[in-house]
Amino acid sequence: MTNPMNFEQLTAQAAALDIRNKAFINGAYVDAASGKTFDCISPRDGSVLTKVAECDVEDVNRAVASARAVFEKGSWSEAAPAKRKAIMLHFADLLEKNAAELALLESLDMGKPITLAARDDIPLSYKCIRWYAEAIDKIYDEISPSGTNEIGMITREPLGVVAAVVPWNFPLMMAVWKLGPALAMGNSIILKPAEQSPLTALRVAEIAVEAGIPEGVLNVVPGFGPTAGKALGLHEDVDCVTFTGSGEVGKLFLQYSGQSNMKRVWLECGGKSPNIVLADCPDMDAAAAAAAGGIFYNQGEVCTAGSRLIVEESIKDEFIEKVVAAGAKMQPGDPLDPKSQMGAIVDESQMNRVLGYIEKGSSEGGVLRTGGKRVRTESGGYYVEPTVFDGIKNDMTIAKEEIFGPVLSVISVKDWKEAVQTANDTPYGLAAAVWTRDINKAHMTAKKLRSGLVWVNCWDGGSITMPFGGYKQSGTGRDRSLHALDKYCEIKSTWIALGDA
Ligand code: NAD
């Protein structure tokens, strides 16, 4: 499929898609054991795209059994690093070859603009797989500094069966952040996509087999959290759950682990990320554009969304005007229209949740500076305007809770000290930024922020080479970078007594 980036052609291609809608277990598409399906609805217009297999305990059991069997067989887990690398590189190439189709699926399924899916989600996904493939034969194990008569070897081994449970905001990208390192280390995987966005995961599973990843190494079980997700969390033969999603469900996975086999649990959860703009900000226009992008990109459905804009009092009014102007250019449009900068909210219930927070913001005394309404209702889809609230205090509900929508809270502070204090006054610690031309203040702020990601004079900087994850209730462990590999292996200490020569 080519990607001409033309609205008429894209809608025609969307109508002609051959959408995969069954579970993928042991290298083949299968119906759920119960025969049940659920509607996969496009937030673009509320239409049913397809009916997807609704997996439950029995399907999860089959997927885990197939993952375990191939792990024991060793065709992936014990394959030479050079072989795993070659197959994963081929996998990345095939994802790239199918990029236009994957972008279309992502846009239709979760409502993000096709332009952004094609520019960001899909390229970052195949590049992620490629990066971990390249790492496979460059990672060395260790020998301890022991004496002449012994050798201490520190070696990594794959964990076994890894369950990856992912959210709907970046469906493929969140999945490959886990698949990349877990596959590189030789594990078998069961991927459970979010019920709102299963389509790219289902397509990618067959691409993996086409690339040469042995059958059973990557299984996909679409279904609901409290059934399929819970079954993975409680499974006695799953060695690790790697999760991205809400803190509420992250905590459930910790409980599931405690109730079952003490499986490793890695969590990437939510945030309420502060974007601090100090009076000596080096470029107010750039900072305002970044602040708007930081909250309106992907309809605000971003774990690192800069949802709390903390601005020094003296520049606050001027800065808000610039943010409102930048936001005005990001009005929601049809996700398949290449001109759209913002798309639809993932589903009706999330849209209502966002609108509920907007109401709460007003009722608690926030001053609405722009937006606040549902729009494009006639389309049948779920669209919310870019929304900016002034006059927010850090203890108001919309400043405390993750909204996961295009709603910005502006909090005014008198100085740097109050800015840092306010930024850290949250149970989360995922991302934060500071805008200043003072290098000392920049470093001091970066050190003081209790946050896994800190940006100076930018928003959302970074790459696959940098760890991604949070402090406090934003999670445990890190995705991306070589650090992620450690989440998917056991470390073995082997001590060899050589005796006397
Ligand atoms: P969610 O927690 O509702 O769902 C995430 C996954 O968990 C889905 O696959 C879902 O089916 C499953 N799930 C839901 N209930 C479950 C249960 N009772 N038992 C087992 N599994 C269950 O999150 P969401 O609404 O899909 O995504 C939004 C959240 O994801 C936000 O909080 C956002 O901040 C977070 N997120 C974090 C990062 C990060 O890297 N830190 C990245 C993207 C999204």
Side-chain angles (χ1 to χ4, degrees), residues 165-169 174 177 192-196 223-226 229-230 243-247 249 252-253 256 268-271 303 402 404 430 468 474 479:
V165 180
V166 297
W168 45 260
N169 60 338
M174 294 302 99
W177 280 8
K192 197 205 85 61
E195 49 273 39
Q196 297 89 341
F224 292 93
K230 183 175 177 181
F243 169 82
T244 298
S246 61
V249 177
L252 285 178
F253 274 105
Y256 298 151
E268 295 287 348
C269 299
C303 51
E402 188 182 38
F404 228 53
L430 188 53
F468 185 105
S474 287
D479 281 336

Side-chain angles (χ1 to χ4, degrees), residues 111-352:
K112 69 175 66 209
I114 181 78
T115 320
L116 302 183
R119 186 194 72 188
D120 299 341
D121 295 60
I122 310 303
L124 290 173
S125 296
Y126 60 72
K127 286 177 186 171
C128 168
I129 296 288
R130 199 169 279 150
W131 196 84
Y132 282 106
E134 287 290 356
I136 293 176
D137 60 358
K138 297 174 189 66
I139 307 281
Y140 289 73
D141 286 329
E142 298 161 50
I143 299 287
S144 79
S146 46
T148 349
N149 291 341
E150 61 255 343
I151 296 178
M153 300 195 309
I154 304 159
T155 50
R156 293 188 184 85
E157 293 177 1
L159 277 176
V161 176
V162 171
V165 180
V166 297
W168 45 260
N169 60 338
F170 293 92
L172 185 56
M173 207 159 81
M174 294 302 99
V176 299
W177 280 8
K178 294 162 187 338
L179 300 189
L183 284 172
M185 293 309 300
N187 296 281
S188 296
I189 297 164
I190 295 114
L191 169 62
K192 197 205 85 61
E195 49 273 39
Q196 297 89 341
S197 60
L199 300 185
T200 44
L202 290 172
R203 176 73 177 104
V204 161
E206 69 176 338
I207 295 175
V209 170
E210 188 188 339
I213 293 177
E215 292 173 358
V217 170
L218 175 57
N219 306 275
V220 182
V221 290
F224 292 93
T227 48
K230 183 175 177 181
L232 284 165
L234 287 172
H235 206 291
E236 295 286 344
D237 204 25
V238 167
D239 299 295
C240 164
V241 167
T242 176
F243 169 82
T244 298
S246 61
E248 195 187 340
V249 177
K251 287 178 184 177
L252 285 178
F253 274 105
L254 292 170
Q255 291 181 26
Y256 298 151
S257 170
Q259 288 160 18
S260 56
N261 61 344
M262 213 193 276
K263 55 180 68 63
R264 279 105 185 99
V265 177
W266 300 112
L267 305 175
E268 295 287 348
C269 299
K272 197 72 201 174
S273 299
N275 184 10
I276 302 174
V277 183
L278 299 177
D280 68 345
C281 166
D283 183 340
M284 295 260 271
D285 292 317
I295 184 67
F296 303 136
Y297 176 78
N298 210 44
Q299 304 75 241
E301 297 161 323
V302 182
C303 51
T304 53
S307 51
R308 289 185 300 145
L309 179 60
I310 299 175
V311 194
E312 250 183 299
E313 232 161 38
S314 58
I315 58 160
K316 195 228 4 169
D317 289 335
E318 183 191 351
F319 194 71
I320 290 192
E321 276 184 22
K322 288 179 187 288
V323 174
V324 168
K329 297 183 195 140
M330 298 181 76
Q331 295 303 323
D334 189 322
L336 291 194
D337 184 343
K339 291 194 293 298
S340 298
Q341 290 295 304
M342 205 164 107
I345 301 289
V346 72
D347 64 13
E348 192 171 10
S349 88
Q350 179 63 12
M351 177 188 68
N352 289 333

Side-chain angles (χ1 to χ4, degrees), residues 434-455:
V434 61
W435 296 77
T436 176
R437 63 170 77 242
D438 179 335
I439 191 166
N440 290 325
K441 253 187 200 171
H443 278 292
M444 283 298 289
T445 317
K447 278 184 192 288
K448 295 264 177 213
L449 288 169
R450 302 282 301 150
S451 174
L453 300 152
V454 176
W455 298 307

Side-chain angles (χ1 to χ4, degrees), residues 408-459:
L408 180 64
S409 294
V410 183
I411 302 166
S412 156
V413 290
K414 59 179 185 309
D415 55 18
W416 174 79
K417 198 169 165 208
E418 192 185 348
V420 173
Q421 217 166 37
T422 307
N424 282 335
D425 183 13
T426 167
Y428 296 111
L430 188 53
V434 61
W435 296 77
T436 176
R437 63 170 77 242
D438 179 335
I439 191 166
N440 290 325
K441 253 187 200 171
H443 278 292
M444 283 298 289
T445 317
K447 278 184 192 288
K448 295 264 177 213
L449 288 169
R450 302 282 301 150
S451 174
L453 300 152
V454 176
W455 298 307
V456 177
N457 294 334
C458 63
W459 186 265

